[in-house]
Amino acid sequence: MSEPYILPRKGSIQDPLRIAVLISGGGSGLLALLNYQQSNPCAHITKLIISDNVNAGGLRYGEDFSIPVAAIPLPESKNNVEQRIMHENLIHDILLNSNIELVVLSGYMRILTPNFVCKWKGRLINIHPSLLPKYPGAHAHRDALADGAKITGCTVHLVDEGVDTGKIISQQEVPILEGDTIEKLQERVKKVEHQLYPKVLDIFCSQDS
Ligand code: GAR
């Protein structure tokens, strides 16, 4: 039987849950979240931004919003498994040092090992650009177009040991239009993600644990 998903406590406007956002790229989802937190009283607050990519464009939002950032690239190692675990241990340490209560993946393009997932289970959440269980993995839009799908969307889900297999929290559909390319579809889905994720996080953080 799998373990229950439990947040450490219920967040509130007065005492929001401290979150870290993990990114790998441009960070448009991070920006949407930071704008939401700035303009709405809510049950979560971003206290740390982490990227595995030192050149991630989204890291600049740390300075814009006065939030600490940590760029943590993969450490040198000849052994791939060891390298991933060393990397995640660095991330884990900084999460603990910053008293992070919830880890929010927003365009973080690495698959986390069970070693990390089990430490954060129930406190580790992701947004994926498809209607899971359809099109898991790193190429959701390419796969949806190749499949001739007419509808795709995005999914907010808890992260478990599998690839995009954790418990689904919320989904929203997005139509696929005639002449869509990966880029056009990605932009349309991102607009929906930017509305959905901050609100779903708010509900998730305010729930009784
Ligand atoms: C978002 O569409 C997010 O759903 C996706 O990456 C994009 C990040 O964009 N995540 C995944 O594909 C995870 N497998 P951003 O860097 O502009 O926020």
Side-chain angles (χ1 to χ4, degrees), residues 25-30 106-109 127-129 137 190 193:
S28 66
L30 166 66
S106 182
Y108 188 68
M109 299 309 283
I127 187 154
H128 181 80
K190 277 190 189 185
E193 292 183 346

Side-chain angles (χ1 to χ4, degrees), residues 64-78:
D64 295 350
F65 286 80
S66 303
I67 295 167
V69 300
I72 308 179
L74 274 182
E76 292 287 323
S77 171
K78 291 206 174 76

